[in-house]
């Protein structure tokens, strides 16, 4: 085995164990060696895997750059499978950066490439990716439909990880739709599957979902216990974005418990991560959270400014759900009702 291939295999093994920091170091070593040997096929593999690993850690701009370089090289090599993988990776990166319009275009383009090749697993993955972009857009009914479609496609393929991630997508979309029992059921099924698979990221993802389901049922003690499990795993993995959303959920739970200082601490910590990873949607949630805490303290001017800014940014970015949340809080402010709102 050549040195570049050896480094690449070590990186793959680390990534499977969710040791993303180590994986990145080995991928970069492999990339340097493959470039030295001018092994274009190996270079392409490195770019795509680097994109996947950077995206898992929340470096979406870095991931997008790697996928773009992989895409350019795949076109030169006429490697349609890698071209499709690069395009869907670009779409997932844009989705995480809040640009759901560009994301949908890229994901649909990848889906057409997978269909042309008869790659059913690629089609299922692109359907799952599309569902997530629709959720960020705020089109929850279509997101639910797309997640159910990806679920059935992965079931037919006997892809247990794909099934579990579809359950998580359904869990999150069901919560936003107000179907809290469905949300808990989906996340519980996902958690059981991820545990059997030994998927640390998936386990953390489903724990966070179970925490939010418990929070929406008013079980704040149970919610904090689930969030603690998710926090521990996300810290180990190094996923800043998922960790940030977990911190926001913890902050919202403390808000509902009337612990404003703890809540504010969590909102500010999560906002710092969202700013680092350039996630505008997560940042909006923190603005709304801090605004509501100000409202509950009687600082109506400060609260109104935060709600108005969040609504403006949500409209600009096309985030329909977050825009409605901002309007709900603005309405509460106008009515003078300072009760904490348990946003899903």
């Amino acid at each position: 085995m050549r040195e570049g291939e050896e480094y690449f295999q070590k990186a793959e093994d680390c990534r499977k164990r969710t040791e993303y920091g180590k994986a990145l170091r080995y991928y970069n070593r492999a990339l340097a060696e493959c470039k030295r040997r001018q092994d274009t096929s190996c270079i392409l593999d490195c770019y795509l895997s680097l994109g996947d690993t950077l995206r898992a850690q929340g470096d979406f701009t870095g991931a997008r750059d790697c996928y773009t370089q992989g895409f350019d090289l795949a076109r030169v090599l006429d490697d349609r499978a890698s071209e499709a993988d690069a395009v869907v990776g670009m779409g997932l990166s844009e989705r995480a950066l809040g640009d759901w319009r560009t994301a949908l275009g890229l994901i649909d383009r990848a889906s057409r490439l997978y269909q042309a090749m008869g790659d059913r697993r690629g089609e299922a993955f692109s359907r799952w990716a599309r569902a997530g972009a629709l959720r960020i857009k705020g089109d929850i009914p279509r997101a639910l439909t797309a997640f159910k479609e990806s679920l059935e496609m992965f079931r037919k393929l006997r892809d247990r990880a794909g099934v579990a991630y579809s359950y998580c997508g359904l869990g999150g979309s069901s919560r936003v739709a107000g179907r809290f029992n469905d949300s808990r059921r989906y996340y519980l099924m996902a958690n059981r599957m991820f545990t059997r698979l030994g998927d640390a990221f998936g386990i953390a993802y489903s724990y966070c979902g179970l925490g939010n389901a418990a929070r929406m049922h008013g079980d704040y003690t149970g919610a904090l216990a689930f969030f603690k499990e998710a926090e521990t795993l996300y810290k180990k993995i190094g996923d800043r974005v998922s960790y940030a959303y977990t911190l926001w959920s913890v902050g919202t739970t403390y808000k509902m418990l009337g612990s404003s200082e703890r809540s504010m601490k969590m909102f500010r910590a999560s906002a710092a991560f969202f700013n680092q990873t350039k996630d505008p949607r997560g940042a909006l949630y923190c603005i709304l959270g801090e605004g509501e805490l100000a409202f509950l303290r009687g600082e109506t001017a400060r609260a109104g400014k935060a709600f108005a800014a969040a609504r403006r940014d949500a409209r600009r970015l096309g985030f329909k759900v977050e825009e409605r949340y901002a309007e709900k809080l603005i309405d509460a402010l106008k009515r003078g009702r300072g009760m904490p709102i348990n946003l899903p």
Side-chain angles (χ1 to χ4, degrees):
M1 183 182 290
R2 293 180 179 179
E3 190 173 10
E5 294 170 349
E6 184 179 350
Y7 283 140
F8 185 83
Q9 189 54 57
K10 285 182 178 180
E12 292 283 276
D13 293 340
C14 288
R15 186 153 67 96
K16 287 177 183 177
R17 297 193 298 268
T18 63
E19 296 174 357
Y20 296 134
K22 287 184 180 179
L24 285 173
R25 289 193 290 273
Y26 281 125
Y27 281 132
N28 280 313
R29 288 183 186 179
L31 179 61
E33 179 61 23
C34 292
K35 283 183 174 179
R36 187 186 67 78
R37 291 192 285 106
Q38 297 184 328
D39 185 339
T40 52
S41 180
C42 180
I43 293 170
L44 172 57
D45 289 340
C46 288
Y47 277 138
L48 294 181
S49 294
L50 276 166
D52 291 342
T53 309
L54 289 168
R55 185 166 55 82
Q57 284 201 309
D59 184 353
F60 302 120
T61 54
R64 181 180 59 191
D65 291 343
C66 285
Y67 289 130
T68 301
Q69 292 184 79
F71 170 79
D72 292 340
L73 193 51
R75 294 292 296 272
V76 170
L77 296 173
D78 195 26
D79 184 338
R80 291 296 182 89
S82 293
E83 180 184 343
D85 291 344
V87 172
V88 78
M90 290 159 63
L92 288 168
S93 300
E94 295 291 357
R95 187 185 80 176
L97 290 166
D99 188 354
W100 57 264
R101 295 178 180 87
T102 300
L104 284 172
L106 288 166
I107 292 166
D108 288 346
R109 179 178 174 182
S111 181
R112 290 192 294 272
L113 288 169
Y114 287 129
Q115 287 174 8
M117 292 184 291
D119 185 341
R120 292 185 298 163
R121 183 165 274 100
E123 286 185 60
F125 184 76
S126 58
R127 188 64 54 87
W128 172 84
R130 190 175 203 279
L134 289 169
R135 182 189 169 191
I136 289 176
K137 176 186 176 183
D139 192 342
I140 304 304
R142 289 174 67 197
L144 284 166
T145 297
F147 276 127
K148 287 176 182 177
E149 289 171 350
S150 72
L151 175 64
E152 290 307 309
M153 294 170 80
F154 281 125
R155 276 177 173 166
K156 289 178 181 178
L157 292 166
R158 298 183 180 180
D159 185 330
R160 292 182 297 166
V163 167
Y165 278 104
S166 295
Y167 279 145
C168 281
L170 284 166
S173 297
S174 295
R175 184 178 71 249
V176 177
R179 303 172 187 174
F180 305 135
N181 288 332
D182 286 347
S183 179
R184 179 170 55 189
R185 177 169 56 86
Y186 284 129
Y187 278 123
L188 185 58
M189 290 190 290
N191 183 265
R192 289 169 178 167
M193 292 190 75
F194 284 132
T195 300
R196 288 195 293 269
L197 290 168
D199 186 327
F201 175 83
I203 294 169
Y205 186 3
S206 55
Y207 270 138
C208 187
L210 284 168
N212 279 315
R215 175 171 64 82
M216 297 314 299
H217 278 98
D219 179 9
Y220 302 125
T221 300
L224 289 172
F226 282 127
F227 293 142
K228 186 65 177 178
E229 296 286 351
E231 278 186 72
T232 300
L233 287 169
Y234 282 138
K235 280 183 180 179
K236 182 179 179 180
I237 293 168
D239 182 343
R240 293 173 295 168
V241 172
S242 300
Y243 181 55
Y245 276 106
T246 304
L247 292 179
W248 174 85
S249 297
V250 172
T252 301
T253 304
Y254 281 135
K255 179 191 72 180
M256 298 307 296
L257 288 168
S259 184
S260 60
E261 288 187 9
R262 285 184 173 182
S263 180
M264 180 65 77
K265 182 180 178 180
M266 292 297 104
F267 287 147
R268 287 180 175 170
S270 60
F273 282 114
F274 287 132
N275 289 331
Q276 286 176 19
T277 57
K278 301 178 183 178
D279 182 338
R281 181 167 157 267
L284 278 176
Y285 279 107
C286 295
I287 292 170
L288 290 172
E290 290 195 35
E292 190 176 1
L293 289 177
F295 181 23
L296 294 171
R297 292 194 301 268
E299 299 172 9
T300 55
R302 184 177 177 183
K305 186 177 179 180
F307 300 156
R311 181 174 63 178
R312 182 189 64 243
D313 288 347
R315 282 178 176 171
R316 176 176 55 82
L317 294 165
F319 296 158
K320 298 299 182 184
V321 170
E322 289 71 29
E323 182 182 349
R324 287 198 293 271
Y325 289 162
E327 288 176 345
K328 185 175 183 179
L329 288 165
I330 288 170
D331 182 64
L333 185 64
K334 288 178 179 177
R335 295 170 180 266
R337 294 175 59 189
M339 296 294 291
I341 296 175
N342 201 12
L343 297 179

